[in-house]
Amino acid sequence: MFCFQCEQTDRSGATPGCAATRGICGKDESTADLQDLLVYALKGISQYAVRARALGAPDDDAATFVLYGMFTTLTNVNFTATRFVTLLTEAATVRDRVRAGYLAACAAAGQEPEPLDGPAAWVPAEGTDGLLAQAAEHGVTVGLPLVGPDVVAARALNLYGLKGICAYAYHAAVLGSTSAEVFAGVEQALDYLAGDPSDIDDLLGYALRLGTLNLAVLELLERANTGTFGQPVPHPVRTTPRAGKALLVSGHDLRDLGDILEATAGTGINVYTHGELLPAHAYPELAAHPHLAGNYGGAWQDQQQDFAAFPGAIVMTSNCMIEPLLSYRQRIFTTGPTGWPGVRHLKHHDWAPAIRAAQALPGFAEDSPEDRTVTVGFGRTAVLGAAGAVVDAVKAGAIRHFFLIGGCDGALPGRNYYAKFAEETPPDSVILTLGCAKYRFNNHDFGSLPGLPSLPRLLDVGQCNDAFAAVRVAQALAEAFDCGVNDLPLSLVISWFEQKAVAVLLSLLSLGITGIRLGPTLPAFLTPGLLEVLVAKFGIAPIGDPAADLESALAGAGA
């Protein structure tokens, strides 16, 4: 295998990348290679889909399948090789259906169909061994001797950003929110990559187009979340357990959480969130369930110790899964795009097995003697509702600086930087945070905003899925001060980890935002040559010493 799509990437060799029989994330060689082949197959679907959509014959079911298929290839989502064998067979069937639709649309329009090759002409081999042999021809570094590492890196930047876009779009789609613009954008991007582009300037330009597409996707997702569950409102969340049977829901998927809450109503089971589902407590329709008992544990990388200590059943939704330990493997379930070999997968929103497990397990014997809470729910509406007072405080000199400190967390060393940076920010500054990186510092008491005792200085905007809200807050502040976002007293200190983070980074770059500090390490797929271009154009910089970076930000450099 060879994989360099996330921050876990092995950097011990001359060429960064997990190249053994097992990646650092736990993905085995067969699964990694089959994922690469699935991406290739999805390109083939999209080659026909682009042309069919242009003739007024879209296949939105195929487009949704593409979103789902791409999502399964993200880091820490699905580790089950047999599932990818099935998906490859499905992809060929979907591709043939889209091709038939394209040919029919050509006939109806009196046009000759365009002959397509490459992924569009792929025929799945017989059996897993045959598919693995095909996969060897379609990995992420194919063509490296011909086009060189910088082109491969630019292609990877587009592909990994697109993977994040598909994940966000799938989150919206499961809530019934889709868009022809988004479907078309994803199909066009895969069609573009199917042509093996090799012009670096063109590839970088396309990456920025994907950043713009991701903004549309994030807006679609925000509307889906708020339209289904209400506008987030500030809400204290209990982080210590209550007595009773217990079921823990991790990942990102709000719909799955909502369905589980409905299914467990009246059963005596307390439902807890974990990781990136902490912000779910801010949504009124979810918080209305009295058995949504609180949040248990920390970020996704803590799940092995958290899940082992949790005395109930566990449901893993969407992404951020680590190999389950034997101590809880019989009481964890996966759903949606997630999967692990030997772990029971819940299909068609049948939560009964997880509910039975929760009822059979002991749960918590008593309430925790402590009653600790963290406050969530400072989404776009909540923050902009106080924007006038915040702007006045800035003009009066009571607020000196804004920091966006957040993103995707991980387990490798260096991430304590974000806690140190946040804790050293001056009392006359505001911290916006989103994503699971906030677990590094969200239990720290930062006090309230200067002159605004009703607002805490740390404002939790939500999941990484809520990045659109943070962007809109920054744009609203820029409008209030009649300046550009880059002219604001605002510093972005971002913890990147996987492909959703790459999509958000592309969105920020597409808006022309510069001076972003990124870490703890820069993406391994960015070659020195490509990184040099991004540094020159956007001022991207690696994180360094927290105190020095903070001093630089307050002085105006990198802000």
Side-chain angles (χ1 to χ4, degrees), residues 480-541:
F481 289 106
D482 192 24
C483 66
V485 172
N486 291 324
D487 301 315
L488 287 170
L490 168 68
S491 298
L492 281 70
V493 185
I494 307 298
S495 170
W496 90 280
F497 182 80
E498 42 91 325
Q499 297 79 62
K500 286 182 175 179
V502 176
V504 172
L505 176 63
L506 293 181
S507 290
L508 296 174
L509 299 184
S510 74
L511 292 170
I513 295 175
T514 61
I516 299 169
R517 293 193 181 275
L518 193 66
T521 55
L522 294 175
F525 57 83
L526 293 181
T527 58
L530 189 61
L531 180 60
E532 184 178 339
V533 174
L534 294 176
V535 169
K537 190 169 184 178
F538 299 103
I540 291 177

Side-chain angles (χ1 to χ4, degrees), residues 14-15 27 97 107 150 160 172 189 224 247-248 313-314 334 343 363 378 422 521 556:
T15 301
K27 184 170 56 177
R97 187 184 75 229
D150 290 345
Y160 298 150
L247 194 156
L248 186 65
I314 304 154
T334 59
V343 171
F378 291 96
T521 55

Side-chain angles (χ1 to χ4, degrees), residues 90-249:
E90 293 178 19
T93 301
V94 171
R95 188 269 319 278
D96 290 346
R97 187 184 75 229
V98 177
R99 177 174 57 196
Y102 169 59
L103 295 177
C106 286
Q111 293 185 10
E112 283 294 320
E114 182 181 346
L116 299 175
D117 55 14
W122 169 74
V123 177
E126 290 290 332
T128 302
D129 289 343
L131 291 170
L132 288 171
Q134 288 183 326
E137 302 173 5
H138 304 297
V140 290
T141 58
V142 165
L144 177 60
L146 180 65
V147 299
D150 290 345
V151 169
V152 168
R155 290 174 181 172
L157 179 63
N158 279 269
L159 175 61
Y160 298 150
L162 183 60
K163 284 190 178 189
I165 290 168
C166 289
Y168 289 134
Y170 182 77
H171 281 302
V174 298
L175 290 172
S177 292
T178 59
S179 154
E181 172 197 0
V182 170
F183 283 154
V186 169
E187 292 165 354
Q188 289 163 6
L190 284 168
D191 178 54
Y192 172 72
L193 291 173
D196 294 329
S198 58
D199 184 285
I200 290 181
D201 289 338
D202 188 61
L203 281 159
L204 289 176
Y206 208 99
L208 296 183
R209 285 176 55 186
L210 289 177
T212 301
L213 175 63
N214 189 52
L215 287 172
V217 171
L218 290 173
E219 184 174 15
L220 184 71
L221 178 56
E222 182 187 65
R223 289 202 307 267
N225 286 338
T226 59
T228 306
F229 303 113
Q231 288 286 349
V233 295
H235 185 80
V237 181
R238 183 183 173 104
T239 58
T240 48
R242 294 172 11 191
K245 302 291 185 178
L247 194 156
L248 186 65
V249 187

Side-chain angles (χ1 to χ4, degrees), residues 204-503:
L204 289 176
Y206 208 99
L208 296 183
R209 285 176 55 186
L210 289 177
T212 301
L213 175 63
N214 189 52
L215 287 172
V217 171
L218 290 173
E219 184 174 15
L220 184 71
L221 178 56
E222 182 187 65
R223 289 202 307 267
N225 286 338
T226 59
T228 306
F229 303 113
Q231 288 286 349
V233 295
H235 185 80
V237 181
R238 183 183 173 104
T239 58
T240 48
R242 294 172 11 191
K245 302 291 185 178
L247 194 156
L248 186 65
V249 187
S250 190
H252 294 71
D253 201 292
L254 296 181
R255 185 193 67 162
D256 285 347
L257 175 61
D259 288 350
I260 289 170
L261 287 168
E262 294 285 348
T264 52
T267 63
I269 297 172
N270 288 325
V271 175
Y272 296 84
T273 56
H274 178 268
E276 279 274 65
L277 280 174
L278 167 62
H281 294 263
Y283 290 91
E285 293 297 319
L286 296 174
H289 292 274
H291 62 300
L292 181 58
N295 190 76
Y296 181 89
W300 71 274
Q301 74 271 10
D302 299 328
Q303 68 185 252
Q304 288 183 328
Q305 65 190 48
D306 291 342
F307 292 178
F310 187 76
I314 304 154
V315 176
M316 192 76 209
T317 75
S318 69
N319 59 311
C320 293
M321 187 175 189
I322 299 176
E323 179 175 5
L325 301 177
L326 291 177
S327 61
Y328 61 85
R329 190 167 293 196
Q330 296 306 310
R331 54 188 173 88
I332 186 173
F333 303 83
T334 59
T335 188
T338 58
W340 190 278
V343 171
R344 285 170 289 180
H345 189 76
L346 304 178
K347 297 180 180 179
H348 312 302
H349 294 86
D350 178 11
W351 311 112
I355 292 172
R356 288 194 296 268
Q359 290 171 326
L361 290 161
F364 292 100
E366 58 186 7
D367 288 351
S368 170
E370 298 179 275
D371 187 10
R372 298 191 300 271
T373 63
V374 295
T375 301
V376 299
F378 291 96
R380 180 160 60 114
T381 301
V383 174
L384 293 184
V390 170
V391 169
D392 289 342
V394 173
K395 291 179 177 178
I399 295 177
R400 177 173 28 153
H401 207 85
F402 296 87
F403 295 96
L404 175 59
I405 309 172
C408 301
D409 203 6
L412 294 183
R415 292 182 180 270
N416 58 340
Y417 166 96
Y418 297 93
K420 292 179 180 178
F421 190 101
E423 290 167 9
E424 291 177 10
T425 56
D428 57 352
S429 65
V430 178
I431 303 170
L432 299 169
T433 190
L434 76 166
C436 56
K438 63 174 164 276
Y439 280 102
R440 295 280 174 178
F441 49 82
N442 70 342
N443 60 355
H444 182 82
D445 183 7
F446 289 94
S448 59
L449 290 182
L452 299 168
S454 63
L455 283 177
R457 198 162 69 82
L458 175 65
L459 302 177
D460 185 345
V461 179
Q463 298 180 330
C464 68
N465 296 12
D466 298 309
F468 181 78
V471 168
R472 288 293 181 252
V473 167
Q475 290 177 326
L477 288 171
E479 291 173 6
F481 289 106
D482 192 24
C483 66
V485 172
N486 291 324
D487 301 315
L488 287 170
L490 168 68
S491 298
L492 281 70
V493 185
I494 307 298
S495 170
W496 90 280
F497 182 80
E498 42 91 325
Q499 297 79 62
K500 286 182 175 179
V502 176

